[in-house]
Amino acid sequence: MRVLLTGGSSLLARATAELLLARGDDVVLFQRSPAAFDVPQVLGDVRDAELVERAVGECDAVIHLAAKVGVVGSWDDYRSINVDGTANVVAAARRHGIARMVHVSTPSVAHAGEALAGVGATPPVTGRTGAWYAESKAVAEQLVRHAAGVHLPIVIIRPHLVWGPGDTQLVGRLVERARAGRLALVGDGAALIDTTYIDNAASALVAALDAVGPDAACLGRSYVIANGEPRPVAELVAGICRAAGGDIAPRRVPRRVAVGAGALVERVWALRGPDAGEPPLTRFLAEQLGTAHWFDPRPARDDLGWAPTVGIDEGLDRLAAWFATTPT
């Protein structure tokens, strides 16, 4: 297959592209800036419907990863990229008769402030205010579900907290805050959470691409992808920081206090304007850090034929080896 990967400069897109290339598929990356990767690349924005149309038209399958992440920006920013951009990809895929499409979402779409323990991919929740990333991805997922059908086979994958060597999101932020003495845990750090090592997340996207089709069990469905090894959040955070070369003693903040502080930070950051950078805390982040998040692995195993191959401990060893050879 010739596979288009939108959001091609991300860690997950690169790992997925490497898997596809290794098995003989052709890959085209679509992203806003050049990636250090020797494959055809289309430079542009998913909000550019004409450019998306041309890129999709040259391929047989699509893995749609492009998204605005983080917590900085207005609703219009997130909507235009995560909702309107997704609509452009879906419309182009339908017009060009794309045979297989994977839409990459997030478990955050189902988070409503309470623990998610041992559940599957519950329906996306909309109506949030302030948590624009989760809200926009939830709206986008609803759009994709509505579009999925025999004439456009789509499966939705929600990778949960992807990490590994080179990760600038989860790993990068944890390590940066730990080294600066600004790392804090919400609650007692005992909430069980699952995560996804990067190789497992990439293999899940490839498995989903292979599994989806007009008659597939996964057609139009959502699947949470994770390692299947829930551990206390304090244990995972400590493991990542040790891999980076240092033990930590993070501060503990009661969940109720953290949620209140997150609300205050949101108001302050709104007054500081678009150049204020990433806020240290929001209500949504505090709720997520203080509640359990682990999921039922059976749907992905049964419908996609996928299972993780790299365990948490092996992943931490690989992360430590990477930090040992990477300048800080």
Side-chain angles (χ1 to χ4, degrees), residues 83-310:
V83 180
D84 297 346
T86 296
N88 287 339
V89 175
V90 167
R94 180 185 285 118
R95 282 192 289 269
H96 288 284
I98 290 296
R100 301 169 184 271
M101 179 172 168
V102 177
H103 173 70
V104 180
S105 187
T106 168
S108 297
V109 301
H111 181 71
E114 301 300 326
L116 297 171
V119 299
T122 53
V125 176
T126 59
R128 301 176 182 85
T129 57
W132 299 137
Y133 171 67
E135 178 72 10
S136 61
K137 292 295 285 185
V139 174
E141 187 170 316
Q142 290 178 334
L143 180 157
V144 170
R145 285 187 176 197
H146 181 73
V150 294
H151 299 297
L152 182 56
I154 302 176
V155 59
I156 300 161
I157 301 299
R158 302 175 183 173
H160 187 49
L161 295 176
V162 178
W163 61 277
D167 169 35
T168 59
Q169 297 295 315
L170 178 62
V171 171
R173 291 175 181 178
L174 278 177
V175 172
E176 178 187 11
R177 291 184 180 185
R179 288 172 173 168
R182 295 187 290 107
L183 189 60
L185 294 178
V186 176
D188 59 6
L192 289 177
I193 62 169
D194 207 349
T195 61
T196 317
Y197 187 72
I198 180 61
D199 292 23
N200 297 329
S203 68
L205 297 189
V206 175
L209 191 70
D210 291 343
V212 71
D215 301 317
C218 63
L219 175 63
R221 293 188 61 191
S222 301
Y223 297 86
V224 179
I225 296 300
N227 256 59
E229 302 176 78
R231 296 187 182 184
V233 62
E235 180 182 327
L236 284 166
V237 168
I240 289 172
C241 291
R242 280 196 300 270
D247 290 321
I248 61 165
R251 293 178 289 112
R252 305 292 176 97
V253 180
R255 181 184 173 193
R256 186 174 178 180
V257 173
V259 171
L264 177 60
V265 169
E266 287 177 19
R267 291 195 292 271
V268 171
W269 247 248
L271 295 173
R272 295 178 64 177
D275 298 326
E278 191 92 356
L281 188 65
T282 66
R283 285 172 294 175
F284 187 74
L285 181 59
E287 289 170 350
Q288 285 203 312
L289 291 173
T291 56
H293 297 93
W294 56 277
F295 302 89
D296 184 353
R298 291 172 295 181
R301 180 195 65 198
D302 296 344
D303 293 351
L304 307 180
W306 174 84
T309 56
V310 181

